[in-house]
Amino acid sequence: MFQQNAQILWNEKVGPSYYRIGLDCRYGYTHAKPGQFVMVRISGGIDPLLRRPFSIHKPIVRNDRIVGVELLYKVIGQGTRILSGLQQGGHVDVLGPLGSAFLLPENAHRIYIVAGGIGVAPLVFLASHLVQSGIDPADCVVFLGGRTRDDLLCIDDFNNLHLAVHPSTDDGSAGDQCLVTVPVEFAVADDQPDMIYACGPEEMLKCVVAIARARSIPCQLSIETRMACGMGACLGCAVAAADMPGRYYHACLDGPVFDSQAIRLRE
């Protein structure tokens, strides 16, 4: 884990409320893994006071060396609104890389990736890592879901990796008009994968977990939750453990990636 003052390389709008920001992080990210995150202090003052967590969307590579990270984010509140207004050449204080990573089990060939909205942020890095690790792109399928077509992100990134992408939207403005878990359920019944990776809203994750458990499919989740410190000090990102009532993990230290069997999502 490193703290550094990172220069903003770009901060580009990629949708009505979505942005990609590139940060020049000169050290500490050579061994960053898909699923890990950073904590960003957006302003030098006390408003906002706390750092904001962001999944590592992509490593920035120059001359075969990682020189920074790209973050994909959605403007939701004051912190991300301020972040969206920062300009190239400015600086933000970055702490990372933090947290656990997605794991690739032995003998896994058929992979399903399920993303809901901004939950796609860590999954592009994951998909790239899977392909580099030797997974045949033809055996890796991506299911993207959003409320509208504007919420379907990174399709070109997955296409450039030669992965099949199945989009769906709540309003039918792109892809199938249904929840993203509907085509996942049909696909699982037709061609069961060796692993499901998912990130998105909690209701989506609960449905993905139910699909995986019904067929005993290994499943890993990246949990979207509020974090105040990113280091386990505030204990604000508690996730209930599945094996022991009253026991909790913390997304910043034990996660944000969890085996779906290890945690109990809120009812």
Side-chain angles (χ1 to χ4, degrees), residues 71-83:
L71 313 177
L72 176 68
Y73 65 97
K74 181 178 182 179
V75 175
I76 298 174
Q78 181 183 7
T80 46
R81 188 160 49 249
I82 293 172
L83 184 62

PDB file of all heavy atoms in Angstrom, residues 71-83:
ATOM      1  N   LEU A  71      -9.437   4.957 -13.451  1.00  0.00           N
ATOM      2  CA  LEU A  71     -10.631   4.701 -12.658  1.00  0.00           C
ATOM      3  C   LEU A  71     -11.855   5.064 -13.486  1.00  0.00           C
ATOM      4  O   LEU A  71     -11.851   6.064 -14.210  1.00  0.00           O
ATOM      5  CB  LEU A  71     -10.614   5.529 -11.371  1.00  0.00           C
ATOM      6  CG  LEU A  71      -9.317   5.531 -10.553  1.00  0.00           C
ATOM      7  CD1 LEU A  71      -9.451   6.458  -9.351  1.00  0.00           C
ATOM      8  CD2 LEU A  71      -8.932   4.124 -10.127  1.00  0.00           C
ATOM      9  N   LEU A  72     -12.876   4.264 -13.375  1.00  0.00           N
ATOM     10  CA  LEU A  72     -14.166   4.545 -14.011  1.00  0.00           C
ATOM     11  C   LEU A  72     -15.141   4.873 -12.893  1.00  0.00           C
ATOM     12  O   LEU A  72     -15.273   4.103 -11.937  1.00  0.00           O
ATOM     13  CB  LEU A  72     -14.633   3.319 -14.801  1.00  0.00           C
ATOM     14  CG  LEU A  72     -16.016   3.404 -15.454  1.00  0.00           C
ATOM     15  CD1 LEU A  72     -16.025   4.413 -16.589  1.00  0.00           C
ATOM     16  CD2 LEU A  72     -16.449   2.027 -15.964  1.00  0.00           C
ATOM     17  N   TYR A  73     -15.837   6.011 -12.984  1.00  0.00           N
ATOM     18  CA  TYR A  73     -16.716   6.389 -11.892  1.00  0.00           C
ATOM     19  C   TYR A  73     -17.989   7.063 -12.399  1.00  0.00           C
ATOM     20  O   TYR A  73     -18.048   7.553 -13.527  1.00  0.00           O
ATOM     21  CB  TYR A  73     -15.992   7.299 -10.895  1.00  0.00           C
ATOM     22  CG  TYR A  73     -15.578   8.660 -11.427  1.00  0.00           C
ATOM     23  CD1 TYR A  73     -16.369   9.790 -11.199  1.00  0.00           C
ATOM     24  CD2 TYR A  73     -14.393   8.835 -12.137  1.00  0.00           C
ATOM     25  CE1 TYR A  73     -15.986  11.044 -11.665  1.00  0.00           C
ATOM     26  CE2 TYR A  73     -14.001  10.077 -12.603  1.00  0.00           C
ATOM     27  CZ  TYR A  73     -14.802  11.182 -12.367  1.00  0.00           C
ATOM     28  OH  TYR A  73     -14.431  12.422 -12.835  1.00  0.00           O
ATOM     29  N   LYS A  74     -18.973   7.057 -11.527  1.00  0.00           N
ATOM     30  CA  LYS A  74     -20.251   7.699 -11.817  1.00  0.00           C
ATOM     31  C   LYS A  74     -20.444   8.861 -10.848  1.00  0.00           C
ATOM     32  O   LYS A  74     -20.158   8.747  -9.657  1.00  0.00           O
ATOM     33  CB  LYS A  74     -21.397   6.696 -11.646  1.00  0.00           C
ATOM     34  CG  LYS A  74     -22.778   7.269 -11.960  1.00  0.00           C
ATOM     35  CD  LYS A  74     -23.859   6.200 -11.823  1.00  0.00           C
ATOM     36  CE  LYS A  74     -25.227   6.766 -12.191  1.00  0.00           C
ATOM     37  NZ  LYS A  74     -26.288   5.742 -12.082  1.00  0.00           N
ATOM     38  N   VAL A  75     -20.905   9.977 -11.376  1.00  0.00           N
ATOM     39  CA  VAL A  75     -21.185  11.131 -10.528  1.00  0.00           C
ATOM     40  C   VAL A  75     -22.490  10.870  -9.789  1.00  0.00           C
ATOM     41  O   VAL A  75     -23.563  10.784 -10.396  1.00  0.00           O
ATOM     42  CB  VAL A  75     -21.283  12.420 -11.357  1.00  0.00           C
ATOM     43  CG1 VAL A  75     -21.692  13.595 -10.472  1.00  0.00           C
ATOM     44  CG2 VAL A  75     -19.944  12.708 -12.035  1.00  0.00           C
ATOM     45  N   ILE A  76     -22.357  10.722  -8.470  1.00  0.00           N
ATOM     46  CA  ILE A  76     -23.513  10.400  -7.639  1.00  0.00           C
ATOM     47  C   ILE A  76     -23.748  11.469  -6.582  1.00  0.00           C
ATOM     48  O   ILE A  76     -24.874  11.925  -6.380  1.00  0.00           O
ATOM     49  CB  ILE A  76     -23.326   9.021  -6.962  1.00  0.00           C
ATOM     50  CG1 ILE A  76     -23.216   7.919  -8.024  1.00  0.00           C
ATOM     51  CG2 ILE A  76     -24.476   8.726  -5.994  1.00  0.00           C
ATOM     52  CD1 ILE A  76     -22.898   6.551  -7.457  1.00  0.00           C
ATOM     53  N   GLY A  77     -22.680  11.867  -5.895  1.00  0.00           N
ATOM     54  CA  GLY A  77     -22.794  12.845  -4.824  1.00  0.00           C
ATOM     55  C   GLY A  77     -21.771  13.949  -4.966  1.00  0.00           C
ATOM     56  O   GLY A  77     -21.158  14.142  -6.020  1.00  0.00           O
ATOM     57  N   GLN A  78     -21.559  14.661  -3.880  1.00  0.00           N
ATOM     58  CA  GLN A  78     -20.678  15.817  -3.912  1.00  0.00           C
ATOM     59  C   GLN A  78     -19.237  15.448  -4.258  1.00  0.00           C
ATOM     60  O   GLN A  78     -18.580  16.136  -5.039  1.00  0.00           O
ATOM     61  CB  GLN A  78     -20.711  16.526  -2.558  1.00  0.00           C
ATOM     62  CG  GLN A  78     -19.829  17.767  -2.506  1.00  0.00           C
ATOM     63  CD  GLN A  78     -19.815  18.408  -1.133  1.00  0.00           C
ATOM     64  OE1 GLN A  78     -20.357  17.862  -0.189  1.00  0.00           O
ATOM     65  NE2 GLN A  78     -19.185  19.567  -1.028  1.00  0.00           N
ATOM     66  N   GLY A  79     -18.739  14.342  -3.673  1.00  0.00           N
ATOM     67  CA  GLY A  79     -17.356  13.959  -3.918  1.00  0.00           C
ATOM     68  C   GLY A  79     -17.076  13.673  -5.380  1.00  0.00           C
ATOM     69  O   GLY A  79     -16.111  14.199  -5.958  1.00  0.00           O
ATOM     70  N   THR A  80     -17.885  12.851  -6.001  1.00  0.00           N
ATOM     71  CA  THR A  80     -17.666  12.516  -7.412  1.00  0.00           C
ATOM     72  C   THR A  80     -17.987  13.703  -8.323  1.00  0.00           C
ATOM     73  O   THR A  80     -17.419  13.814  -9.414  1.00  0.00           O
ATOM     74  CB  THR A  80     -18.497  11.292  -7.819  1.00  0.00           C
ATOM     75  OG1 THR A  80     -19.846  11.428  -7.330  1.00  0.00           O
ATOM     76  CG2 THR A  80     -17.896  10.015  -7.262  1.00  0.00           C
ATOM     77  N   ARG A  81     -18.875  14.586  -7.881  1.00  0.00           N
ATOM     78  CA  ARG A  81     -19.148  15.795  -8.671  1.00  0.00           C
ATOM     79  C   ARG A  81     -17.903  16.689  -8.701  1.00  0.00           C
ATOM     80  O   ARG A  81     -17.544  17.236  -9.746  1.00  0.00           O
ATOM     81  CB  ARG A  81     -20.347  16.539  -8.093  1.00  0.00           C
ATOM     82  CG  ARG A  81     -20.828  17.700  -8.937  1.00  0.00           C
ATOM     83  CD  ARG A  81     -22.253  18.101  -8.605  1.00  0.00           C
ATOM     84  NE  ARG A  81     -22.451  18.265  -7.170  1.00  0.00           N
ATOM     85  CZ  ARG A  81     -23.198  17.434  -6.425  1.00  0.00           C
ATOM     86  NH1 ARG A  81     -23.791  16.405  -6.983  1.00  0.00           N
ATOM     87  NH2 ARG A  81     -23.343  17.653  -5.139  1.00  0.00           N
ATOM     88  N   ILE A  82     -17.241  16.832  -7.551  1.00  0.00           N
ATOM     89  CA  ILE A  82     -15.995  17.604  -7.515  1.00  0.00           C
ATOM     90  C   ILE A  82     -14.929  16.920  -8.362  1.00  0.00           C
ATOM     91  O   ILE A  82     -14.202  17.566  -9.127  1.00  0.00           O
ATOM     92  CB  ILE A  82     -15.510  17.764  -6.064  1.00  0.00           C
ATOM     93  CG1 ILE A  82     -16.486  18.644  -5.275  1.00  0.00           C
ATOM     94  CG2 ILE A  82     -14.103  18.368  -6.013  1.00  0.00           C
ATOM     95  CD1 ILE A  82     -16.189  18.699  -3.793  1.00  0.00           C
ATOM     96  N   LEU A  83     -14.837  15.592  -8.243  1.00  0.00           N
ATOM     97  CA  LEU A  83     -13.842  14.840  -9.012  1.00  0.00           C
ATOM     98  C   LEU A  83     -14.035  15.049 -10.513  1.00  0.00           C
ATOM     99  O   LEU A  83     -13.059  15.210 -11.260  1.00  0.00           O
ATOM    100  CB  LEU A  83     -13.938  13.354  -8.667  1.00  0.00           C
ATOM    101  CG  LEU A  83     -12.901  12.429  -9.309  1.00  0.00           C
ATOM    102  CD1 LEU A  83     -11.492  12.784  -8.866  1.00  0.00           C
ATOM    103  CD2 LEU A  83     -13.205  10.968  -8.990  1.00  0.00           C
TER     104      LEU A  83
END
